Amino acid sequence: MAKTSRQKILFIDDIPALCEEMVDTLRGEHLDAESNLSPLDAIPKVVQGDYDLVITGLVIAELGGFDIIRRIRGAGCRVPIIMVTGFGTEQSAIEAARLGVADYLTKPIERKELVARVRRVLVEHAPAVPERPKSLARMISGDAKMNAIFEKVKTIAPTESRVLILGETGCGKQLLAHAIHQQSKRSKEPYVEVNCAAIPANLLESELFGHEEGAFTGASKRRVGRFETAGKGTIFLDEIGELSFDLQSKLLHVLDSGKFTRVGGNNDLKSHARLVSATNRDLSKEVAQGRFRADLYYRLNVISIELPPLRERPGDIGILAQHFMNQFVTDGRQPPTFTTSAVDMMKVYPWPGNVRELQNFAEQLAVLHQGPRIEVTDLPSRIVQHALGVPHASPTESAERIPFRKAKDQFEKEYLLKVIQDANGNLAEGARLADMDRGQFYRLAKRHGLTTNSDL
């Protein structure tokens, strides 16, 4: 079913008059609402993503409200759900909270209150508004710093100048190097990439410059090195800060003379390749501490580009997460979208693994998540707990020692306690800070023993 720009609401109940009244109320406030008298007919439509919000009664002859929620959640659908009942009890409110309903309303409900609650839930669970990213080769970004880098690359790529890319591990140095090649006049020539940290030091010289037959034990035939393979194209030396002093000297010779010799050979070969290099180290400090040759550093650092870590460009988090999600969902279904609240929480997390960590996170969700939206409750505990200031237990402690239900209750209690402390013990203010319905907040606080009689 094609989605419109308006958010669609479904009310499920078996009382025709109530369905008509509910739909009329919501449509009267310019909300796109409809009803269904049959839960068994409604659930498949909800699961396939036809609606942005579900409102259900509690007592329905065909299938009760809690069973409706269980079936929807059991199918992997995370659509927000509001429960409306005239038979509200403390136990039913606790069960609704346990099942993750977005709100719980008891009759009678004033028209304005209903509409306000519905609008609040729609806003909280709305898909994040995609920013308009700019692209460079395989890179995309909506961040001003990154866009400035893209423009810089477009300027320097057509030149012959060497480029040194600086930045933390996982922030996109490889992609940027490839983009420089693609934007250059050498784009139709070979692009050769070497990770200097991934090859043992005793083999790296042969990898770079090649070797002759019999040059060393195991050299049964001539090997063409990466500089030779690159021809008139681009050679990218990643993690160049890991080169040994001996190899630094030999690379310096190539940069000065344009010549190199295969290991065990006597004939000089000419390098015509453009060099782009990258490192996650501060090479100026490495030079000062005697671990990197100053003359090589200055020859590499003709033009430098420093890629900011992901935590310094939070506007890219939602863009990249959705981009990766769209790439990884390959089974024909519509890729799930991240809600605004989920993206906001993701922006608080520091992403120590940078874009690579975000990519792995998106791939995991693409495989495991089947619903149309990704909510805060779908995010890994490390992201949620960091955003809430809750210490994150190690995977061994959380998975092996604490059952899921107990871990969930513990997290819920710690969250409520922190909010109540921030509100100086005022539960009404705590509900406001948590952006929760006051009644729901009170019930959860009471369940965890965080209230007194005077609070109620």
Side-chain angles (χ1 to χ4, degrees):
M1 180 176 180
K3 299 280 287 191
T4 65
S5 58
R6 296 183 66 186
Q7 293 170 296
K8 297 196 67 174
I9 304 166
L10 177 66
F11 179 65
I12 305 174
D13 206 293
D14 58 359
I15 303 174
L18 179 60
C19 288
E20 184 177 352
E21 178 186 353
M22 181 69 74
V23 170
D24 287 346
T25 297
L26 295 174
R27 287 181 177 174
E29 296 294 328
H30 308 290
L31 293 165
D32 190 357
E34 59 186 62
S35 63
N36 197 315
L37 298 170
S38 169
L40 295 179
D41 177 64
I43 289 172
K45 298 175 183 177
V46 172
V47 169
Q48 72 183 23
D50 287 0
Y51 301 98
D52 301 283
L53 172 65
V54 172
I55 306 173
T56 180
L58 174 59
V59 180
I60 303 175
E62 187 178 63
L63 194 68
F66 289 141
D67 289 325
I68 292 172
I69 297 172
R70 291 188 187 100
R71 292 198 184 190
I72 291 173
R73 294 293 185 248
C77 179
R78 305 300 300 177
V79 63
I81 300 173
I82 294 176
M83 176 165 279
V84 176
T85 179
F87 305 93
T89 64
E90 182 178 340
Q91 189 58 41
S92 64
I94 291 173
E95 179 65 9
R98 189 184 71 80
L99 291 174
V101 300
D103 211 338
Y104 179 87
L105 309 179
T106 55
K107 301 175 186 175
I109 308 169
E110 292 185 3
R111 178 188 181 114
K112 290 184 178 180
E113 178 71 7
L114 170 66
V115 172
R117 299 283 191 91
V118 166
R119 289 192 187 281
R120 179 180 64 80
V121 172
L122 285 173
V123 169
E124 287 180 352
H125 297 268
V129 177
E131 300 173 58
R132 294 184 178 178
K134 292 186 178 180
S135 62
L136 177 72
R138 292 182 291 160
M139 302 181 76
I140 62 170
S141 176
D143 180 77
K145 292 180 183 177
M146 289 298 293
N147 290 336
I149 289 173
F150 288 178
E151 293 303 314
K152 184 175 183 179
V153 166
K154 291 176 183 178
T155 300
I156 66 174
T159 73
E160 297 299 309
S161 299
R162 298 181 193 120
V163 181
L164 176 62
I165 305 172
L166 307 171
E168 296 179 6
T169 299
C171 67
K173 298 188 294 295
Q174 292 171 298
L175 285 176
L176 190 66
H178 193 257
I180 291 171
H181 172 71
Q182 288 187 312
Q183 297 286 317
S184 74
K185 298 174 183 177
R186 302 169 181 255
S187 59
K188 294 183 179 180
E189 301 293 337
Y191 173 76
V192 177
E193 183 175 315
V194 183
N195 187 329
C196 300
I199 302 171
N202 61 328
L203 298 178
L204 186 54
E205 182 179 358
S206 171
E207 188 72 23
L208 292 174
F209 307 123
H211 63 251
E212 298 290 353
E213 181 181 349
F216 50 83
T217 303
S220 57
K221 59 181 180 180
R222 172 184 285 177
R223 175 188 175 87
V224 174
R226 298 298 187 91
F227 269 92
E228 195 171 349
T229 301
K232 296 181 180 180
T234 303
I235 183 166
F236 171 50
L237 301 186
D238 196 9
E239 303 300 347
I240 199 167
E242 307 301 320
L243 286 181
S244 66
F245 248 84
D246 180 50
L247 273 180
Q248 289 178 34
S249 298
K250 292 179 179 179
L251 178 59
L252 178 64
H253 175 71
V254 176
L255 299 183
D256 280 343
S257 67
K259 298 177 182 179
F260 65 94
T261 305
R262 296 193 190 105
V263 177
N266 296 312
N267 298 324
D268 284 339
L269 301 174
K270 188 72 174 176
S271 172
H272 300 282
R274 180 187 190 180
L275 177 65
V276 177
S277 55
T279 180
N280 60 2
R281 296 192 179 194
D282 185 337
L283 288 188
S284 61
K285 288 185 179 179
E286 296 291 303
V287 168
Q289 295 171 5
R291 292 194 291 264
F292 200 86
R293 292 185 62 121
D295 43 7
L296 176 59
Y297 170 62
Y298 294 126
R299 283 166 177 77
L300 293 173
N301 192 26
V302 176
I303 296 175
S304 65
I305 299 176
E306 186 165 359
L307 278 176
L310 188 57
R311 63 181 175 274
E312 292 182 8
R313 42 188 172 112
D316 276 353
I317 291 172
I319 292 172
L320 292 173
Q322 192 62 57
H323 172 72
F324 293 137
M325 181 64 67
N326 295 344
Q327 285 186 331
F328 289 128
V329 175
T330 58
D331 55 5
R333 61 191 169 93
Q334 186 72 18
T337 55
F338 291 83
T339 63
T340 301
S341 53
V343 172
D344 287 344
M345 187 162 283
M346 289 158 58
K347 288 179 178 180
V348 178
Y349 181 69
W351 299 100
N354 287 298
V355 177
R356 193 170 297 148
E357 180 184 0
L358 181 64
Q359 184 176 18
N360 292 339
F361 152 79
E363 182 176 8
Q364 181 184 41
L365 278 179
V367 173
L368 299 177
H369 187 83
Q370 297 299 312
R373 296 174 192 78
I374 295 168
E375 311 277 358
V376 168
T377 51
D378 300 313
L379 301 179
S381 60
R382 71 181 188 278
I383 295 176
V384 178
Q385 292 184 10
H386 179 88
L388 300 177
V390 179
H392 176 54
S394 69
T396 302
E397 293 173 335
S398 59
E400 294 182 4
R401 301 181 186 176
I402 304 176
F404 174 77
R405 181 70 60 81
K406 183 177 179 181
K408 180 176 180 293
D409 287 344
Q410 179 179 320
F411 167 70
E412 195 174 74
K413 183 175 181 178
E414 289 173 344
Y415 170 69
L416 291 170
L417 182 60
K418 184 177 186 302
V419 171
I420 292 171
Q421 289 174 341
D422 290 344
N424 296 318
N426 186 317
L427 293 190
E429 175 64 11
R432 189 191 68 78
L433 292 176
D435 202 14
M436 292 174 62
D437 170 63
R438 187 181 300 181
Q440 182 186 17
F441 188 87
Y442 282 8
R443 286 187 291 270
L444 286 176
K446 183 177 180 181
R447 175 187 171 196
H448 290 289
L450 302 177
T451 65
T452 65
N453 291 334
S454 62
D455 292 321
L456 304 175

